[in-house]
């Protein structure tokens, strides 16, 4: 695991964007796993800027969203699909058919999860998976206790996550979600985990330097052969 610490979240975001752009230049058909939330916003803004200046070409890139909330129409402004379209995808030269989302509106969400796994396999697996970390150490919506070999599935959200998500959803916070499993995530050839801010400092230290345990889902990343971590100083402040 390689850990990089940057002065602030703006620099972190720019460096993360450079990392992704360089992966696309090496492999123009990159299969890229995308995250939502606050963490990637600066990185996504920089990727959009780079794409506008023709510094990176997304025309052959395929993307897969990491997770989605259930019980929400996919057009809801805070569905993961809407967030990804609005903060990144609609500004890139990426064909719509190359964008993949978990379909929360499916009449059979369990089979939609299975179909997602099959689609990831069909395109040859994820080359680079972006990740953020939840305050309780979750990856995607793999809450504490999620098995390390879990696959894309429906999950119940914990109180910590629901309290966090109230900033977006107010009183109508989703109780369930769909998420790639920890096993699915660990099969990505390369991982880029990002975290910023003091609030993440404790969980970052536990995940990166504590015991590998399902109580801290992100601790599994210690076992990934090609995981890069980018932090700002605040998020790194509790690392030994
Ligand atoms: C959310 C998402 C995760 C995200 C994490 C951190 O619940 N499901 O994919 O990485 O929590 O969110 P943020 O970046 O807003 O801190």
């Amino acid at each position: 695991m390689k850990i990089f610490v940057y002065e602030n979240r703006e620099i972190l975001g720019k460096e993360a964007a450079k990392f992704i752009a360089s992966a696309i230049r090496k492999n123009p058909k990159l299969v890229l796993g995308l995250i939502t939330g606050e963490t990637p916003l600066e990185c996504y803004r920089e990727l959009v800027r780079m794409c506008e200046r023709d510094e990176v070409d997304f025309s052959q890139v395929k993307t897969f969203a990491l997770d989605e909330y259930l019980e929400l129409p996919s057009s809801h402004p805070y569905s993961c699909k809407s967030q990804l379209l609005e903060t990144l995808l609609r500004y890139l030269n990426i064909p719509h058919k190359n964008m993949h989302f978990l379909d929360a509106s499916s009449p059979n969400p369990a089979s939609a999860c299975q179909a997602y796994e099959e689609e990831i396999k069909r395109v040859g697996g994820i080359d680079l998976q972006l990740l953020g970390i939840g305050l309780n150490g979750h990856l995607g919506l793999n809450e504490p206790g999620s098995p390390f070999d879990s696959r894309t599935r429906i999950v119940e959200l914990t109180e910590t996550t629901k309290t966090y998500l109230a900033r977006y959803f107010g009183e109508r916070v989703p109780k369930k979600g769909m998420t790639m499993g920890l096993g699915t995530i660990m099969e990505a050839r390369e991982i880029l985990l990002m975290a910023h801010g003091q609030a993440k400092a404790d969980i970052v230290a536990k995940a990166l330097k504590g015991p590998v345990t399902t109580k801290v889902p992100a601790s599994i990343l210690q076992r990934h052969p090609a995981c890069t971590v980018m932090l700002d100083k605040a998020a790194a402040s509790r690392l030994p």
Side-chain angles (χ1 to χ4, degrees), residues 49-222:
R49 277 196 286 264
M50 290 173 109
C51 189
E52 280 167 2
R53 291 191 223 116
D54 287 330
E55 291 168 12
V56 61
D57 175 15
F58 279 83
S59 62
Q60 299 180 78
V61 171
K62 294 189 179 77
T63 61
F64 283 82
L66 178 64
D67 48 14
E68 187 54 280
Y69 304 112
L70 274 178
E71 302 146 1
L72 278 188
S74 66
S75 59
H76 188 288
Y78 289 114
S79 72
C80 293
K81 180 176 180 176
S82 301
Q83 286 188 55
L84 286 173
L85 287 169
E86 290 307 316
T87 61
L88 179 70
L89 294 170
R90 60 179 288 215
Y91 307 103
L92 303 177
N93 64 331
I94 177 170
H96 218 276
K97 67 174 172 46
N98 287 9
M99 307 172 189
H100 300 266
F101 305 98
L102 279 156
D103 181 8
S105 61
S106 162
N108 188 344
S111 68
C113 290
Q114 210 181 327
Y116 207 62
E117 287 274 337
E118 280 156 22
E119 189 59 13
I120 292 171
K121 275 205 192 95
R122 199 185 64 76
V123 302
I126 291 176
D127 293 308
L128 174 59
Q129 178 65 54
L130 308 185
L131 291 175
I133 182 170
L135 291 172
N136 59 5
H138 74 204
L139 293 180
L141 293 170
N142 292 282
E143 301 281 36
S146 297
F148 285 154
D149 61 357
S150 50
R151 312 302 309 184
T152 304
R153 68 200 187 292
I154 294 162
V155 289
E156 307 259 340
L157 307 189
T158 57
E159 288 309 316
T160 313
T161 300
K162 285 189 272 190
T163 305
Y164 181 79
L165 291 175
R167 69 179 61 192
Y168 302 122
F169 298 105
E171 284 172 8
R172 303 195 59 195
V173 174
K175 297 183 186 71
K176 289 182 185 180
M178 300 162 96
T179 183
M180 284 188 204
L182 294 173
T184 321
I185 291 169
M186 287 294 282
E187 279 169 15
R189 289 180 193 90
E190 195 170 9
I191 285 177
L192 173 59
L193 171 74
M194 295 174 264
H196 66 249
Q198 194 62 41
K200 298 279 173 79
D202 273 330
I203 196 64
V204 162
K206 277 191 195 141
L208 304 188
K209 298 295 176 185
V212 175
T213 163
T214 54
K215 287 182 194 153
V216 182
S219 64
I220 186 67
L221 297 176
Q222 294 179 36

